[in-house]
Amino acid sequence: MNTRSSKYIGLFIALALVLIPTPVSPAQPQTAASPQRSLADVLETITPAVVNIAVRSRDPAESNPLYNDPFFRRYFNLPEQRQRMSAGSGVIVDADKGYILTNHHVVANAGEIAVTLKDRRRFTAELVGSDQATDIALLRIDAKRLTALPFGDSARLRVGDTVVAIGNPFGLGQTVTSGIVSALGRSGINVEGYEDFIQTDASINPGNSGGALVTADGRLVGINTAIIAPAGGNVGIGFAVPVGMASAVMKQLIEHGEVRRGRIGVAVQDLTPDLAEALGIGETHGAVVGSVDRDSPAARAGLQAGDVIVAVDEHRISGSADLRNRIGLAPVGSQVTVEYLRDGSRNTLALRVEPEDGNGNVSSMPQALEGAHFQDAAGKVVVTGVEDGSAAARAGLEAGDVIVAVNRRPVGSTADLAASLKEVTGTLALDLFRDGMRLFLVVR
């Protein structure tokens, strides 16, 4: 064979080696990539579950009963009562029963609530119940062919997860925006509220309140409720109530028409690094028991001042606000399992949640403070409401005030406040914080 022929044979062999496919090893089977569902397809399925809510309410300036008397109105030549219209959003969560979750502030003081579906059907909604502390309300409509949003697990959300906000911004109609989870466990927006907000940069504007925050696979993880808007519009900081909290409120609203909050009888504070070092523990999260109310569930179960609560029903407690949320939303009469640290050892006990006295009202209220409502909040006493025209209102007390002392005697719970008020025989002096400033309110 000459040299030229041998070169062609070598070239043919080389080409054959390149072109012949390499056999696939049985140990490494080839798999086909599963097709990923597009966001547009997901939205097409879930957007019918998000509704527009129109609320008709009367002007609060004309709440005097005399305004309802036609002779009084005619005699003083008063104009007809004005009606205010406001718009928000809601989420259908039970298609069979017509239940719709929204915000308390969307339907507060509503005279009439109208719900418009994506297919333009319009219904008058019944208010099942509303809870100001969590800003959650539940409506019901009598309608067929509804679409409900499935619940996701808000406890499993992570910063960076993709989320979509669906609502009715500025009354324009249904709008969809997307973003990510920016932070979790946000609080401090409303001092007397129960807060565990999901923060997102998905655009949320006025009118989005009560709308849905959903994951990329179409599951409801939050009810959009608040924005930080210095200029009146979205600046990339929005907040949603986790669906875990909203569903707990919904169950109580369905059963009782209101949220019946419980207590275990402890005043707590956040576990800070300095406090953890002083207590000689390695934990970085938890709630430190500052005091235990006498004859309370906590006292009967054996909790003591200085114990560090680290978990409730196997849910890790991040701080005092987290503990307050867990206990405050637990059904009254239910049993919770508390895990705590004492003297370097980890212990567990079970205790029963009992109702708050008078739903947060302090018994033996002095006449000068009648009309005020109080609630425990992270080792302090918060004024949750003051009735218009009441003695407490005339004394200058306001909702949101945080009372820290009565006649110079520190108070850390409503039980402390009640005990201190019983001992007051003359002038009442309240040390309190209002809008970040410390005030001294003298009540006679």
Side-chain angles (χ1 to χ4, degrees):
M1 183 183 296
N2 58 33
T3 306
R4 186 175 181 180
S5 298
S6 64
K7 286 183 178 179
Y8 283 119
I9 293 172
L11 178 61
F12 174 77
I13 294 171
L15 287 172
L17 291 172
V18 172
L19 296 174
I20 295 174
T22 303
V24 177
S25 170
Q28 296 177 344
Q30 291 180 328
T31 57
S34 58
Q36 185 175 2
R37 193 181 180 195
S38 73
L39 184 57
D41 291 337
V42 174
L43 292 173
E44 188 175 354
T45 303
I46 67 175
T47 49
V50 181
V51 304
N52 295 344
I53 296 176
V55 176
R56 187 188 303 274
S57 57
R58 296 189 181 279
D59 191 330
E62 299 183 352
S63 58
N64 192 306
L66 289 176
Y67 279 89
N68 297 321
D69 188 330
F71 297 102
F72 180 85
R73 301 181 64 81
R74 185 179 302 172
Y75 183 81
F76 288 98
N77 194 28
L78 295 175
E80 289 301 312
Q81 280 190 312
R82 294 171 292 171
Q83 292 185 326
R84 296 184 304 154
M85 292 293 297
S86 58
S89 308
V91 185
I92 301 173
V93 292
D94 189 323
D96 294 332
K97 298 180 180 178
Y99 285 136
I100 299 172
L101 279 176
T102 186
N103 285 145
H104 164 82
H105 75 262
V106 170
V107 297
N109 302 317
E112 181 182 343
I113 305 171
V115 170
T116 304
L117 308 184
K118 189 181 180 182
D119 62 10
R120 298 186 180 181
R121 287 186 292 162
R122 187 180 176 91
F123 301 91
T124 298
E126 169 197 356
L127 179 62
V128 178
S130 190
D131 181 51
Q132 182 177 1
T134 55
D135 200 17
I136 291 294
L138 184 66
L139 309 177
R140 180 168 50 206
I141 60 174
D142 184 9
K144 305 296 183 183
R145 307 189 317 276
L146 296 178
T147 299
L149 254 179
F151 283 172
D153 188 353
S154 53
R156 298 183 64 181
L157 277 179
R158 298 186 302 168
V159 173
D161 282 348
T162 299
V163 287
V164 177
I166 310 173
N168 178 29
F170 300 108
L172 295 172
Q174 193 175 89
T175 303
V176 178
T177 56
S178 66
I180 63 169
V181 174
S182 305
L184 296 166
R186 290 299 197 207
S187 60
I189 311 300
N190 182 11
V191 69
E192 70 266 24
Y194 284 74
E195 302 175 325
D196 186 25
F197 289 125
I198 302 166
Q199 182 182 325
T200 177
D201 67 346
S203 294
I204 297 175
N205 287 289
N208 272 111
S209 293
L213 188 72
V214 301
T215 55
D217 62 351
R219 293 193 171 273
L220 180 68
V221 289
I223 302 296
N224 301 325
T225 187
I227 58 174
I228 291 181
N234 178 266
V235 293
I237 302 177
F239 301 97
V241 178
V243 72
M245 177 180 288
S247 62
V249 171
M250 181 180 75
K251 290 176 183 176
Q252 293 213 40
L253 293 179
I254 292 173
E255 185 175 353
H256 308 296
E258 62 180 359
V259 176
R260 297 179 179 178
R261 291 196 162 80
R263 63 184 288 272
I264 59 174
V266 293
V268 293
Q269 64 185 85
D270 292 339
L271 177 65
T272 63
D274 291 340
L275 197 52
E277 183 179 356
L279 295 174
I281 59 177
E283 294 284 341
T284 57
H285 295 82
V288 182
V289 177
S291 63
V292 179
D293 295 344
R294 186 180 306 169
D295 197 31
S296 65
R300 292 191 293 270
L303 275 179
Q304 300 176 8
D307 290 343
V308 180
I309 299 175
V310 294
V312 172
D313 288 338
E314 299 184 352
H315 170 85
R316 186 185 182 198
I317 296 299
S318 60
S320 57
D322 190 14
L323 178 65
R324 177 172 175 255
N325 290 339
R326 289 285 155 182
I327 300 301
L329 294 176
V332 171
S334 65
Q335 184 171 283
V336 295
T337 301
V338 174
E339 188 175 334
Y340 65 97
L341 302 176
R342 179 187 297 170
D343 298 330
S345 63
R346 191 175 293 263
N347 307 279
T348 301
L349 55 80
L351 48 81
R352 190 168 298 278
V353 179
E354 69 176 21
E356 292 182 341
D357 295 333
N359 197 25
N361 299 337
V362 176
S363 58
S364 302
M365 179 67 63
Q367 185 175 356
L369 293 183
E370 286 182 352
H373 304 271
F374 305 92
Q375 190 168 303
D376 293 335
K380 301 178 179 63
V381 178
V382 173
V383 180
T384 58
V386 178
E387 298 172 10
D388 293 338
S390 65
R394 293 192 297 271
L397 209 59
E398 297 180 5
D401 288 347
V402 180
I403 299 175
V404 295
V406 174
N407 286 10
R408 299 298 186 183
R409 175 181 173 179
V411 295
S413 66
T414 52
D416 291 345
L417 178 61
S420 297
L421 292 175
K422 286 180 181 179
E423 298 179 1
V424 175
T425 56
T427 300
L428 179 64
L430 301 177
D431 280 319
L432 55 87
F433 283 93
R434 178 182 299 167
D435 297 328
M437 297 180 60
R438 186 155 188 165
L439 303 176
F440 193 67
L441 183 65
V442 178
V443 182
R444 295 183 173 84

